[in-house]
Amino acid sequence: MCGITACIGTENSVELLIDGLRRLEYRGYDSAGIAVKNENGISVTKRVGEVSELVAAVEQNPISGTFGIGHTRWATHGGVTDGNAHPHTDESGRIAVVHNGIISNYQPLRAELESKGHTFSSETDTEVVPHLIEENLRNGASPEAAFRAAIGTLSGSYAITAIIGDEQAIFATRSGSPLVLGVGDGEYYLASDVPAFIQHTPRVVYLHDGDFVVTTPDGYTITDSAGRSVDRPIEYIEWDPETATKGGYEHYMYKEINEQPGALRRTTQGRLNTHTGGAELEEFPPGAFADISQIHLVAMGTSHHAGMYAASLLNARGIPAYAFMSGEYSVIKPPVTPNTLVIAVSQSGETADTLDAIRRARAAGARTLALTNVVGSSMTRECDDELLLRAGPEIGVAATKTFSSQVAALALLAERIAEDYNGTKSPDSRELIDALARLPGDVQEILDTSIAREIAIEYEDSDAYFFIGRGSAHPVALEGALKFKEISYEHAEGFAASELKHGPLALVTPITPVFAIFTGHEDEATLSNMKEVQARGAPVIAVTSDESREVVEFADHVLTIPDTHPEVAGILANVQLQLVAYHAANLLERPIDKPRNLAKCVTVE
């Protein structure tokens, strides 16, 4: 949620800040604003609505500056108003601050500041920060010391950047919310995520919790909370900047659906040995998982569905594995031992619920592993081990290529763990590895031949949409329903196929199409469920290979997937369901890349 951008050492800071905010729109927001430093002080413009509203305001009343900060806000404290939008300033207007996260102790801080004569103009938690800095300056502190002291009084999660007085500098810090530094040629950037500045520099410094950074036109310094210098390496982002743009597609989501063959090749590259039929993960040499007795997969949303898929693969190999919604992990409190492996699954590596879950697991003595798409993310630093997806940037709020890559990577990891746990490869390991090697081509075949748009047109006026599947097809059904509802705003539900007759069958009518997913496992039982809903008048769209003759014979419509290993078929079925959701939402003219009330990276619980 929310987005921060900042730049210094450039001549066109307003243009760069606005461009950075545009590139962070996928994170979800309800207002946007910028503050820039110029010879007259600090100029602030902020507006409710999309970045386009901010642009219109700047065009109407132009501002300029040599450096500045920007923000897209997602309302948490206070309503969606211009006054509550960021940046926030002190009373004099000489300090400007933007903030992601939640300051949990802002109320007593605000009360104390008000008792000292400070007047607040917003309902936000963020506004205490510029007032705290102002109070420290009044007491004789230097700008940097005033910033540090203000941060030292805060509780909660935050990424904060600030402009203070006449200092030719941007001050920033993070704790529990992402912030990265971009290093250009005589210019420097700060942002919530790399796409904000990837057009200008591929060199990135990932800041750690507790880091303080001061950027000036001449360079930057990074220190810890005690003021000691710390060394953070510059890493090179290998994305082509074009991969963070729409590239001619109408929506990021559709582009990312079509990028799945390439993403899957990167995910599996160097990790498949088709000669031995094994998974080769250089991160985990033989014996790396020899002492593991059980596995917990913690994640939220789409990543949770990938975790459920992986749990079914691990259980099939005789390994006790359980998928938990990370937001419920601290409530359920499943037993954890030193021989428990907790796998955190997150596209961004910054998901607040999942970070909390792995921290609790580590405190209980578990080993932790991060499966994420983002190098240098909080999870990669906090977990004992990491496995990167290498899927490339994903901008659309609805996760597509990262789900496919998560499941593919988890299938490889399941094979690798099974070798240590069982002392040998799985009986059909070679067939699975061969199927994963064919996966990019199989996905491309679906993209080239899918009739998903025709299906979306056929059932556009339906009352609701149901998705059913068994085994690893169950999380695919849940994911298919999630994609459909989050971008189309239509009612959609996913069920285990076996659950239908225990209640949901009461909802089935001739205007509730049912998508039945067949993967080559327990297909006869799912076929029976398909006939049950047809007997109630519901049309059935089967997602299956054309080898399933009986399924094809009985289905009203078929979304075909190439014949493959049953444990891989769910990935292919999911691609078909992504296309159905996309085309359904497009027919309804929904804002597909930015669904209402949702954000790409959920950094508050």
Side-chain angles (χ1 to χ4, degrees):
M1 296 182 181
C2 303
I4 286 175
T5 184
C7 61
I8 193 168
T10 65
E11 295 182 359
N12 54 344
S13 62
V14 171
E15 179 182 332
L16 290 174
L17 290 170
I18 289 175
D19 182 64
L21 293 180
R22 284 196 181 102
R23 295 176 184 278
L24 293 177
E25 286 188 290
Y26 67 91
R27 296 175 69 88
Y29 69 103
D30 47 47
S31 60
I34 59 173
V36 291
K37 183 71 169 64
N38 51 48
E39 59 186 12
N40 297 318
I42 295 175
S43 297
V44 177
T45 302
K46 50 187 182 178
R47 290 291 186 275
V48 165
E50 297 190 352
V51 172
S52 58
E53 299 293 329
L54 174 64
V55 172
V58 170
E59 289 175 347
Q60 185 173 359
N61 295 292
I63 60 175
S64 62
T66 54
F67 61 95
I69 57 179
H71 193 263
T72 51
R73 176 186 186 240
W74 182 283
T76 56
H77 295 75
V80 182
T81 66
D82 288 349
N84 287 333
H86 294 216
H88 288 286
T89 64
D90 65 327
E91 290 170 79
S92 69
R94 297 184 66 249
I95 302 163
V97 168
V98 296
H99 160 234
N100 286 354
I102 290 178
I103 298 170
S104 55
N105 64 334
Y106 84 98
Q107 290 178 312
L109 290 173
R110 178 168 176 153
E112 180 182 352
L113 287 162
E114 287 175 331
S115 72
K116 294 178 179 179
H118 291 260
T119 301
F120 286 75
S121 60
S122 80
E123 305 165 271
T124 67
D125 55 339
T126 303
E127 196 184 354
V128 299
V129 180
H131 286 277
L132 286 167
I133 296 171
E134 180 185 33
E135 183 67 20
N136 294 331
L137 290 173
R138 287 177 182 174
N139 294 331
S142 67
E144 182 175 353
F147 179 74
R148 285 180 173 277
I151 300 303
T153 65
L154 306 181
S155 298
S157 64
Y158 50 80
I160 295 173
T161 63
I163 302 171
I164 303 174
D166 295 325
E167 290 291 303
Q168 298 294 303
I170 297 174
F171 302 86
T173 188
R174 64 157 286 177
S175 179
S177 193
L179 193 65
V180 293
L181 171 68
V183 180
D185 296 326
E187 60 204 37
Y188 303 90
Y189 304 86
L190 287 157
S192 307
D193 204 353
V194 171
F197 56 72
I198 190 64
Q199 291 287 103
H200 308 292
T201 179
R203 293 184 293 166
V204 174
V205 177
Y206 292 97
L207 301 175
H208 295 202
D209 280 354
D211 283 356
F212 285 78
V213 59
V214 180
T215 60
T216 73
D218 299 320
Y220 66 91
T221 59
I222 303 175
T223 54
D224 62 16
S225 57
R228 297 180 294 256
S229 178
V230 294
D231 182 32
R232 301 288 180 234
I234 295 177
E235 301 192 31
Y236 189 88
I237 299 296
E238 296 183 354
W239 304 343
D240 178 344
E242 181 65 22
T243 63
T245 67
K246 290 181 184 177
Y249 288 89
E250 185 177 359
H251 298 98
Y252 281 114
M253 182 182 178
Y254 195 46
K255 174 175 179 278
E256 288 156 6
I257 289 172
N258 281 276
E259 286 177 340
Q260 286 176 110
L264 287 163
R265 286 189 188 93
R266 290 191 298 274
T267 296
T268 58
Q269 186 176 18
R271 294 169 170 172
L272 300 172
N273 190 326
T274 54
H275 299 293
T276 65
E280 295 188 348
L281 304 177
E282 63 180 12
E283 298 90 342
F284 307 111
F289 300 106
D291 60 347
I292 296 302
S293 61
Q294 66 168 343
I295 295 172
H296 295 173
L297 295 114
V298 294
M300 293 299 290
T302 288
S303 294
H304 174 58
H305 298 154
M308 291 177 65
Y309 198 123
S312 71
L313 302 185
L314 289 159
N315 288 326
R317 288 156 176 75
I319 305 167
Y322 313 90
F324 297 97
M325 284 189 283
S326 45
E328 299 296 311
Y329 197 66
S330 62
V331 179
I332 298 170
K333 294 183 173 65
V336 171
T337 71
N339 293 329
T340 300
L341 174 64
V342 178
I343 302 174
V345 187
S346 168
Q347 186 281 136
S348 66
E350 303 289 351
T351 309
D353 318 72
T354 308
L355 279 166
D356 179 69
I358 61 174
R359 286 164 184 160
R360 292 176 184 273
R362 289 199 74 186
R367 176 179 168 185
T368 56
L369 187 157
L371 181 77
T372 181
N373 196 39
V374 181
V375 178
S377 60
S378 294
M379 283 180 200
T380 63
R381 294 198 300 272
E382 295 197 26
C383 287
D384 300 304
D385 300 295
E386 68 180 61
L387 184 62
L388 294 172
L389 296 182
R390 309 190 299 214
E394 186 174 70
I395 307 301
V397 167
T400 52
K401 67 178 179 179
T402 53
F403 176 79
S404 299
S405 291
Q406 283 172 342
V407 175
L410 286 165
L412 287 168
L413 187 60
E415 277 296 295
R416 182 63 201 80
I417 293 171
E419 285 188 41
D420 285 346
Y421 188 88
N422 298 318
T424 185
K425 291 184 177 67
S426 301
D428 63 347
S429 176
R430 183 179 295 277
E431 289 78 8
L432 174 64
I433 295 301
D434 286 345
L436 288 169
R438 296 194 307 272
L439 186 55
D442 287 346
V443 170
Q444 189 62 58
E445 181 179 332
I446 291 172
L447 297 173
D448 292 341
T449 62
S450 177
I451 62 166
R453 187 173 187 276
E454 288 83 348
I455 297 295
I457 293 170
E458 175 77 16
Y459 296 106
E460 181 178 359
D461 296 323
S462 297
D463 186 53
Y465 303 81
F466 295 157
F467 299 76
I468 62 172
R470 289 173 180 265
S472 61
H474 175 212
V476 174
L478 296 176
E479 175 63 10
L482 175 62
K483 283 293 156 288
F484 200 98
K485 72 180 73 172
E486 71 180 329
I487 64 169
S488 74
Y489 307 160
E490 297 295 301
H491 180 67
E493 290 192 57
F495 307 101
S498 59
E499 186 186 4
L500 269 177
K501 63 185 68 177
H502 296 280
L505 201 57
L507 301 173
V508 170
T509 73
I511 53 173
T512 53
V514 177
F515 292 82
I517 303 158
F518 295 86
T519 61
H521 179 71
E522 298 289 341
D523 279 0
E524 288 186 9
T526 304
L527 179 60
S528 174
N529 300 131
M530 184 177 99
K531 293 176 180 178
E532 286 175 340
V533 298
Q534 284 179 318
R536 275 76 180 174
V540 174
I541 303 93
V543 188
T544 184
S545 77
D546 55 13
E547 302 294 318
S548 304
R549 298 299 180 190
E550 191 174 10
V551 173
V552 172
E553 178 184 348
F554 281 97
D556 295 281
H557 300 277
V558 177
L559 290 167
T560 305
I561 62 174
D563 191 37
T564 190
H565 192 284
E567 292 183 343
V568 174
I571 302 176
L572 299 174
N574 181 66
V575 175
Q576 287 282 25
L577 297 179
Q578 290 172 351
L579 289 166
V580 171
Y582 172 79
H583 289 299
N586 206 24
L587 288 169
L588 293 167
E589 299 183 347
R590 305 302 193 207
I592 290 172
D593 288 332
K594 296 178 284 184
R596 67 189 179 203
N597 304 329
L598 299 178
K600 183 66 176 174
C601 179
V602 183
T603 56
V604 294
E605 295 181 60

